[in-house]
Amino acid sequence: MFLLIVIYVAFIGLGLPDTVLGAAWPLMQRDLHAPLSAAGLLSIIVSAGTIVSSLLTPKLLRQFGTGKLVFVSIALTAVASAGYGFSPAFWMMCLFAIPMGIGAGAIDVAMNNFAAIHLESKHTNWLHASWGIGACLGPALLAGSAFFGFGWRGAYELVAMLLGVIAVMMLVSLPLWKRRERGDSRLQQTSGIPDISLRAALRVPGMKLSFLTFFFYSSLEISTSLWCGTYLVARGFEPEVGALAVSLMFASVMVGRILSGIFAIRFTDMRLVHAGIAIVVVGCLVLVFPLPPWVTPVCICLLGFGCAPVYPSLIHATPARFGEELSGRAISIQMAGSYLGSIMMPPAFGFVASHFSVIVWPVALAFFVGSLLLCVCLLDYVTRKRLNKAFAVERFMDVLQQVKLMDERRRSARRERRRLRRKQKRAKLAKARMR
């Protein structure tokens, strides 16, 4: 139980620094005397470090294990956050952006791989919902720090302290990580298999499709969060409504992942993925139709709600698709595709919007959703045999677990009945003696 709590707290910590930069940049730009576009440079450095780190993580996982790697990575992001807070110049922030990206990428791959192998699908969805909690807390910490007069530097220093506390929790829980990984007989069988290269992994059937699936998913989600507010303003809404729609979109993703964790108890990962994509398709279609203006913000919430189960369910299905011996490498490739999509496609749409109009945003969404649906269907077809076998085994194990629970309940009820009979006999004997 303590290990599960640590994992949830680590996911919250992963989301803490992700949203502070965008919220704090107006204050940072003034203090650092940096140009407005410099925030993009910081974001690119972090993303590049994340991509490189995610591709190198599988080999590090084999050498050090999940616990040690996540501990070092969280400590690295804590140092980088503290460096942001103490940096007197922009070029120093660029230096600290490198460990920020490296740490974030390693945490993402290591934690997702551990959750996909060792935890149930419901926990994978709830873990990504907890990341949303951390992402919401980041701007809140900035607002509190600015209110009390500590500015954006105080916010980053507070984030660094919180990440330091999480790193200490990881350090204390290291024996539990080792015990959990060593206790899995399936991992013991595959631990002696050497890690394959990136080029060899890409030749595995379905691996390139998996990369493209995450590429288009992140393109869809990040483009929605980045451009939906601008789209609403172009449609005639007030800027406040656009900002509220962005917040509601992230809130709907978080709520959707909590609900999808509940549905994951009864449904397979791929059913949740298909249901989520279907909801996104409905949201895109409604955006295109000439409906009343109030429907548009509702559709944006629908897009967030539909995106909610797709990412964590695809992650959790990775060991079933490619085997647990390739799970770490596959998730690292998926993370690289996700980060690459989040870097490339939103600016690409910005280029298109500058030459045409932001009103064509639903067309771009339709392209992303159509590409995502095509990649998911092809990926399901290519990996169908292994996927169906894994889900069948999972369901069989669930049935065995339910039978075991029912047997334990019957035994417990039988023991309770015997205890009551003994109690009644003792009461009768006590009454007989009193007479």
Side-chain angles (χ1 to χ4, degrees), residues 188-253:
Q188 288 177 357
Q189 294 173 2
T190 60
S191 59
I193 301 175
D195 183 38
I196 65 173
S197 65
L198 176 62
R199 183 175 297 179
L202 289 173
R203 289 197 292 265
V204 174
M207 195 68 76
K208 293 177 182 177
L209 284 170
S210 183
F211 173 88
L212 291 174
T213 298
F214 279 79
F215 178 89
F216 286 115
Y217 171 80
S218 287
S219 301
L220 169 67
E221 183 180 314
I222 302 300
S223 296
T224 302
S225 63
L226 183 62
W227 293 106
C228 66
T230 308
Y231 174 76
L232 288 177
V233 173
R235 288 285 302 271
F237 290 90
E238 295 295 328
E240 293 81 3
V241 177
L244 179 62
V246 176
S247 299
L248 289 176
M249 183 262 178
F250 280 110
S252 62
V253 171

Side-chain angles (χ1 to χ4, degrees), residues 34-36 40 50 56 77 79 104-105 147 195 209 214 221 242 251 276 303 333 339 376-377 396 431:
L36 182 65
T50 306
L56 295 176
T77 55
V79 171
F147 179 79
D195 183 38
L209 284 170
F214 279 79
E221 183 180 314
L303 291 175
I333 292 172
Y339 295 130
V376 167
C377 291
F396 179 71
K431 287 181 180 179

Side-chain angles (χ1 to χ4, degrees), residues 51 64 129 144 185 196-197 207 214 250 285 314 343 353 367 383 403 421 434:
I51 292 173
F64 302 107
S185 58
I196 65 173
S197 65
M207 195 68 76
F214 279 79
F250 280 110
L285 290 176
L314 285 171
I343 294 173
F367 171 74
T383 60
V403 171
R421 283 198 295 266
M434 291 175 64

Side-chain angles (χ1 to χ4, degrees), residues 35-95:
L36 182 65
S37 59
L41 177 60
L42 270 180
S43 180
I44 290 173
I45 294 173
V46 172
S47 298
T50 306
I51 292 173
V52 173
S53 175
S54 64
L55 294 175
L56 295 176
T57 297
K59 182 176 290 187
L60 297 175
L61 275 175
R62 296 257 177 174
Q63 292 178 353
F64 302 107
T66 305
K68 289 181 181 179
L69 182 60
V70 173
F71 162 69
V72 173
S73 300
I74 291 178
L76 206 59
T77 55
V79 171
S81 297
Y84 274 17
F86 290 109
S87 293
F90 178 74
W91 66 268
M92 289 189 66
M93 294 197 71
C94 291
L95 292 180

Side-chain angles (χ1 to χ4, degrees), residues 272-285 302 306 310 369 373:
L272 293 175
V273 171
H274 297 155
I277 294 177
I279 294 173
V280 174
V281 169
V282 171
C284 287
L285 290 176
L302 201 63
V310 177
V369 175
L373 180 60

Side-chain angles (χ1 to χ4, degrees), residues 101-376:
I102 292 174
I107 297 170
D108 213 356
V109 173
M111 296 292 288
N112 277 301
N113 182 59
F114 185 89
I117 294 176
H118 295 279
L119 301 180
E120 299 175 73
S121 180
K122 61 181 181 181
H123 287 299
T124 308
N125 282 275
W126 292 337
L127 285 171
H128 284 84
S130 64
W131 174 90
I133 295 174
C136 293
L137 282 175
L141 293 176
L142 172 67
S145 177
F147 179 79
F148 287 105
F150 297 103
W152 63 272
R153 295 184 185 275
Y156 270 114
E157 290 163 9
L158 184 56
V159 168
M161 285 189 287
L162 292 174
L163 289 173
V165 172
I166 296 173
V168 172
M169 292 179 64
M170 287 295 306
L171 183 62
V172 172
S173 65
L174 281 181
L176 299 177
W177 291 89
K178 294 178 182 177
R179 193 180 311 156
R180 184 64 182 268
E181 290 180 324
R182 288 175 182 173
D184 196 324
S185 58
R186 296 169 300 175
L187 288 185
Q188 288 177 357
Q189 294 173 2
T190 60
S191 59
I193 301 175
D195 183 38
I196 65 173
S197 65
L198 176 62
R199 183 175 297 179
L202 289 173
R203 289 197 292 265
V204 174
M207 195 68 76
K208 293 177 182 177
L209 284 170
S210 183
F211 173 88
L212 291 174
T213 298
F214 279 79
F215 178 89
F216 286 115
Y217 171 80
S218 287
S219 301
L220 169 67
E221 183 180 314
I222 302 300
S223 296
T224 302
S225 63
L226 183 62
W227 293 106
C228 66
T230 308
Y231 174 76
L232 288 177
V233 173
R235 288 285 302 271
F237 290 90
E238 295 295 328
E240 293 81 3
V241 177
L244 179 62
V246 176
S247 299
L248 289 176
M249 183 262 178
F250 280 110
S252 62
V253 171
M254 189 166 62
V255 172
R257 284 176 177 168
I258 294 173
L259 294 176
S260 61
I262 298 173
F263 286 118
I265 299 173
R266 295 187 59 85
F267 300 102
T268 62
D269 292 323
M270 297 321 301
R271 286 191 178 183
L272 293 175
V273 171
H274 297 155
I277 294 177
I279 294 173
V280 174
V281 169
V282 171
C284 287
L285 290 176
V286 176
L287 277 176
V288 175
F289 294 143
L291 296 174
W294 63 267
V295 178
T296 306
V298 176
C299 288
I300 291 173
C301 293
L302 201 63
L303 291 175
F305 192 76
C307 286
V310 177
Y311 190 92
S313 297
L314 285 171
I315 287 287
H316 190 264
T318 300
R321 291 187 190 278
F322 302 106
E324 293 179 1
E325 67 278 5
L326 287 179
S327 175
R329 174 59 70 185
I331 289 178
S332 72
I333 292 172
Q334 291 167 354
M335 294 297 102
S338 176
Y339 295 130
L340 197 61
S342 65
I343 294 173
M344 292 178 58
M345 299 312 289
F349 174 74
F351 177 79
V352 172
S354 64
H355 285 74
F356 295 95
S357 172
V358 76
I359 297 297
V360 301
W361 176 63
V363 178
L365 283 187
F367 171 74
F368 294 147
V369 175
S371 302
L372 174 63
L373 180 60
L374 177 63
C375 289
V376 167

